[in-house]
Amino acid sequence: MKELEEKIKLLGIPRTTEISDVSAFLNQQVDPHLMKAIGDDFAAHYNDYDFDTIVTVESSGIAPAVFASLALDKPLVILKKDERERDDAVFVQQPSYSFTKGNHYYLTTKSDLIQGKKVILIDDFLAQGSVVMNVEALLRKVDAELVAIGICIAKDYQPGFQILSEKGYDVYCQAHITKLDPETQTIYFG
Ligand code: G4P
């Protein structure tokens, strides 16, 4: 998606060879015009899909997912990251680990929000692909189906996109970053 790539080129900062800082427009300060364009782009891609609900994971996925939800006229369920296991049948949980942040958490939501639903997952970054697989495991527990995955920024120098594609997931990424060079402050796209 050209508009997102242009914004990353203009305001994205390669902090390391692994991590790009997009806090000027995506996850700390949010550019609403870019978010609208992102939502419309997801809507154009998923317009003909048969699904019930959009799902995202807090927190940085929320902004793009809200705009996609509005453009597709479908509800949005935000999966929470809970520090503790809940002894309550109202909730469904999936133990998860973030490679990027190095922390453990329980992906958590109320079962009845997603029970039996056909779901499209929208998220900001795709790195290792672990979030996607944990979301699918969570959905499976309530007989829900992961129909497709929409990602704003795939980091193709990390294995997530390739792993998910090879596993047969339907993955659409709006921008593919192939390399970050913090020395020259250059971000390369595929
Ligand atoms: P994975 O799903 O691809 O395996 O990713 P992993 O668990 O390793 O990490 C996902 C989290 O890391 C996400 O944050 C995502 O936004 C963040 N992340 C991954 N790569 C980058 C990057 O290059 N730049 C920035 N700024 N963030 C990155 P999260 O768990 O959703 O937490 P939150 O920050 O949204 O609250």
Side-chain angles (χ1 to χ4, degrees):
M1 182 195 163
K2 199 165 175 296
E3 207 166 334
L4 176 57
E5 245 182 54
E6 292 301 321
K7 192 66 82 173
I8 297 169
K9 278 182 195 155
L10 191 66
L11 296 175
I13 304 166
R15 291 290 179 206
T16 67
T17 53
E18 304 269 299
I19 298 290
S20 58
D21 182 339
V22 293
S23 57
F25 55 94
L26 186 56
N27 58 10
Q28 289 194 40
Q29 176 168 256
V30 170
D31 180 333
H33 300 288
L34 177 66
M35 288 307 134
K36 177 160 187 336
I38 281 174
D40 290 346
D41 184 71
F42 279 132
H45 188 80
Y46 293 122
N47 199 31
D48 295 333
Y49 278 58
D50 175 20
F51 73 105
D52 306 301
T53 303
I54 290 175
V55 158
T56 193
V57 179
E58 67 170 345
S59 57
S60 309
I62 295 174
V66 165
F67 281 82
S69 161
L70 181 64
L72 283 156
D73 196 20
K74 298 281 186 186
L76 167 64
V77 173
I78 299 163
L79 304 181
K80 305 285 187 183
K81 290 173 186 155
D82 206 332
E83 281 177 10
R84 62 196 171 93
E85 196 168 8
R86 290 180 179 268
D87 185 18
D88 185 339
V90 168
F91 296 100
V92 56
Q93 292 190 301
Q94 173 64 27
S96 302
Y97 176 75
S98 169
F99 292 97
T100 306
K101 300 194 169 167
N103 61 325
H104 292 271
Y105 58 91
Y106 291 90
L107 214 50
T108 303
T109 192
K110 289 185 173 166
S111 311
D112 63 350
L113 294 177
I114 52 169
Q115 182 86 45
K117 298 270 170 69
K118 290 182 189 149
V119 165
I120 292 182
L121 170 65
I122 300 284
D123 210 354
D124 59 340
F125 274 101
L126 176 58
Q128 309 289 335
S130 55
V131 171
V132 173
M133 288 193 261
N134 286 322
V135 169
E136 195 192 25
L138 179 94
L139 294 175
R140 235 182 285 127
K141 291 177 179 178
V142 287
D143 297 321
E145 181 193 348
L146 183 59
V147 172
I149 301 140
I151 301 285
C152 298
I153 305 171
K155 302 195 293 183
D156 287 358
Y157 51 88
Q158 293 183 317
F161 180 72
Q162 198 180 337
I163 290 172
L164 296 178
S165 302
E166 283 171 6
K167 280 179 179 276
Y169 285 90
D170 178 348
V171 195
Y172 169 61
C173 306
Q174 294 176 320
H176 287 267
I177 294 180
T178 53
K179 187 180 168 191
L180 297 176
D181 187 342
E183 280 186 16
T184 60
Q185 289 288 292
T186 312
I187 299 177
Y188 298 87
F189 294 89

